[in-house]
Amino acid sequence: MKKALISGITGQDGSYLAEFLLGKGYEVYGIIRRSSSFNTGRIDPIYEDPHVPHRRLHLVYGDLNDASSLNRIIRTVQPDEIYNLGAQSHVRVSFDIPEYTGEITGLGTIRLLEAIRESGLKPKFYQASSSEMFGKVQDVPQRETTPFYPRSPYGAAKVYAYWITVNYREAYDLFACNGILFNHESPRRGETFVTRKITKAAARIKLGVQKDLYLGNLDAKRDWGFAGDYIQAMWMMLQAPKPEDYVIATGETHTVREFLELAFGRLQLDWQKHVKIDTKYYRPTEVDLLIGDASKAKRDLGWEAKVRFEELANMMVDADLAAERERLEGSQAKR
Ligand code: NAP
Ligand code: F7E
């Protein structure tokens, strides 16, 4: 039985990847951080689902800021595959906490790679690289050969993590891959990322518990896919005959405004009556246009995005409407 170690298991991607690997028969170890409130909400359902073999899921305390914890985890778990998904992943927030973002999103990767090297083990390694590295884009569409031009402390930290992963592959013959993933979303997306912020607000406005939604730049264009599709690409990269870097994207781009139209339209709402602009959500430097070319992943791995833009928006709106209804019914029942 193969053992996989996931940093960031409590996040959107970590939770989907854990379910996927358990389904493939893996023993899954996830690194969790100490928190004053529960932070395992996305993986708790695994324990309640009779179809997911949760006895093979193990959570261990550690932090990407704490090399000794990473050393200990790698020595004791001895994983066959490591997925480094842990990060301070919010681009806007990275302008407020740039040093911390560099520490976790950038240096966290070298801590993990050094822990691997010092252990003498040779696990396969996946690095969660990002389309934010392309920033002020030098090619349209962006592909593996497109030069990086990050536009945020987050993007710059991811560029460091990308190159240190390449360096450890070349210097120590480690099976290490960068997945350069474009934006991917789901009903489990963090609530402060724009898609989820929109779908949650649309549901609440429909049910009469919220009136307005405050957003920033509506003109930015993103290549949005579904997280459930994208985590499969991570696994496929580590099963390939040799370690390489891959762009993972849908190949379509849409504005934030288009996402608003779809999400509010799904609930027969006119977004223009509810959306207000608050400049605090603007970024000092914005990434205006992202669109990825995932043809290398299709050719080498047989991977391609299945869920498209409209289906993704509908899935997220429907899930938020159901969750919000349940929450309201629960609070009425308590009264
Ligand atoms: P996410 O939902 O924000 O999850 C981030 C995870 O990192 C959480 O489990 C978080 O733990 C953990 N984490 C944060 N700081 C940590 C630390 N100091 N030590 C250990 N773990 C820490 O992100 P996601 O959307 O699933 O993305 C997964 C990865 O892919 C991230 O590296 C992200 O930067 C990258 N990425 C995401 C996208 C996208 O569109 N989603 C695209 C490209 C790349 P807590 O739950 O305790 O906060
Ligand atoms: O912003 C605009 C904002 O925060 C998308 C992360 O997963 O994907 C994500 O980064 C766009 C930007 O995602 C609001 O200015 C407008 O142009 O949802 P987002 P992101 O910055 O693209 C990449 C690939 C990652 O790697 C990251 O980890 O939407 N926007 N109004 C807004 N964005 C937010 N968050 N909130 C707003 O109110």
Side-chain angles (χ1 to χ4, degrees):
M1 195 185 291
K2 276 195 190 168
K3 284 192 237 170
L5 175 66
I6 305 175
S7 77
I9 195 168
T10 55
Q12 170 188 254
D13 291 5
S15 66
Y16 281 108
L17 181 64
E19 285 169 11
F20 176 78
L21 293 175
L22 288 167
K24 289 236 167 259
Y26 280 68
E27 194 88 21
V28 175
Y29 292 79
I31 301 177
I32 56 164
R33 303 195 282 172
R34 145 79 191 148
S35 163
S36 67
S37 51
F38 290 117
N39 60 357
T40 54
R42 292 189 181 93
I43 47 175
D44 289 342
I46 293 179
Y47 294 100
E48 288 144 27
D49 186 340
H51 303 296
V52 183
H54 54 77
R55 270 192 298 274
R56 286 194 266 105
L57 175 61
H58 314 274
L59 301 179
V60 288
Y61 279 109
D63 197 302
L64 287 166
N65 207 8
D66 178 12
S68 66
S69 69
L70 302 177
N71 281 314
R72 174 181 45 78
I73 290 167
I74 289 187
R75 262 189 290 108
T76 53
V77 171
Q78 307 210 337
D80 301 289
E81 294 174 9
I82 299 180
Y83 296 86
N84 183 30
L85 311 186
Q88 190 305 91
S89 75
H90 202 287
V91 175
R92 177 67 195 82
V93 173
S94 79
F95 288 98
D96 299 329
I97 47 169
E99 184 183 334
Y100 178 77
T101 303
E103 194 67 67
I104 305 308
T105 307
L107 291 179
T109 306
I110 189 76
R111 286 192 193 98
L112 205 43
L113 286 166
E114 268 298 275
I116 294 170
R117 193 173 70 84
E118 283 171 12
S119 72
L121 301 167
K122 284 272 173 159
K124 292 183 178 179
F125 182 80
Y126 173 85
Q127 169 58 21
S129 284
S130 165
S131 52
E132 280 295 301
M133 301 188 304
F134 297 124
K136 189 170 178 179
V137 298
Q138 305 292 296
D139 272 339
V140 179
Q142 298 82 51
R143 46 179 73 88
E144 291 79 4
T145 49
T146 301
F148 299 143
Y149 192 142
R151 295 272 279 173
S152 63
Y154 170 80
K158 282 287 184 188
V159 170
Y160 171 78
Y162 171 95
W163 280 116
I164 204 66
T165 299
V166 172
N167 180 244
Y168 271 55
R169 177 167 75 213
E170 294 173 354
Y172 305 115
D173 199 25
L174 191 67
F175 193 112
C177 303
N178 282 290
I180 308 174
L181 272 53
F182 282 60
N183 297 53
H184 47 278
E185 321 292 311
S186 74
R188 298 184 199 170
R189 184 56 144 153
E191 293 169 5
T192 61
F193 296 98
V194 79
T195 53
R196 184 75 199 289
K197 191 171 163 183
I198 291 171
T199 58
K200 188 172 176 199
R204 287 169 59 81
I205 290 168
K206 181 73 183 175
L207 296 175
V209 287
Q210 182 173 332
K211 194 167 164 291
D212 296 322
L213 166 62
Y214 289 87
L215 293 174
N217 174 18
L218 306 186
D219 296 318
K221 292 177 121 180
R222 290 290 183 275
D223 179 332
W224 278 295
F226 172 50
D229 286 346
Y230 285 38
I231 56 96
Q232 298 192 23
M234 300 174 184
W235 176 78
M236 287 167 151
M237 283 176 219
L238 296 198
Q239 316 313 309
K242 49 186 176 44
E244 293 199 22
D245 307 319
Y246 293 93
V247 159
I248 299 297
T250 69
E252 266 182 58
T253 192
H254 298 276
T255 59
V256 173
R257 190 177 278 101
E258 285 176 87
F259 192 89
L260 266 173
E261 268 159 22
L262 276 185
F264 276 67
R266 176 81 171 168
L267 301 177
Q268 298 81 43
L269 293 169
D270 178 358
W271 67 271
Q272 308 207 47
K273 291 192 178 140
H274 302 280
V275 170
K276 303 211 162 30
I277 300 299
D278 186 333
T279 52
K280 84 172 176 206
Y281 295 114
Y282 283 23
R283 288 138 195 220
T285 39
E286 175 65 284
V287 172
D288 296 318
L289 163 70
L290 288 174
I291 178 165
D293 172 0
S295 50
K296 180 181 174 191
K298 186 170 182 192
R299 191 189 64 226
D300 292 4
L301 308 174
W303 183 89
E304 95 187 289
K306 293 191 192 81
V307 176
R308 312 308 293 195
F309 184 60
E310 184 165 357
E311 193 186 339
L312 176 67
N314 290 347
M315 175 205 300
M316 292 176 70
V317 171
D318 294 353
D320 270 323
L321 188 65
E324 204 54 41
R325 275 208 177 106
E326 202 177 309
R327 194 185 64 79
L328 284 175
E329 281 162 15
S331 63
Q332 274 159 6
K334 271 192 208 142
R335 276 199 212 121

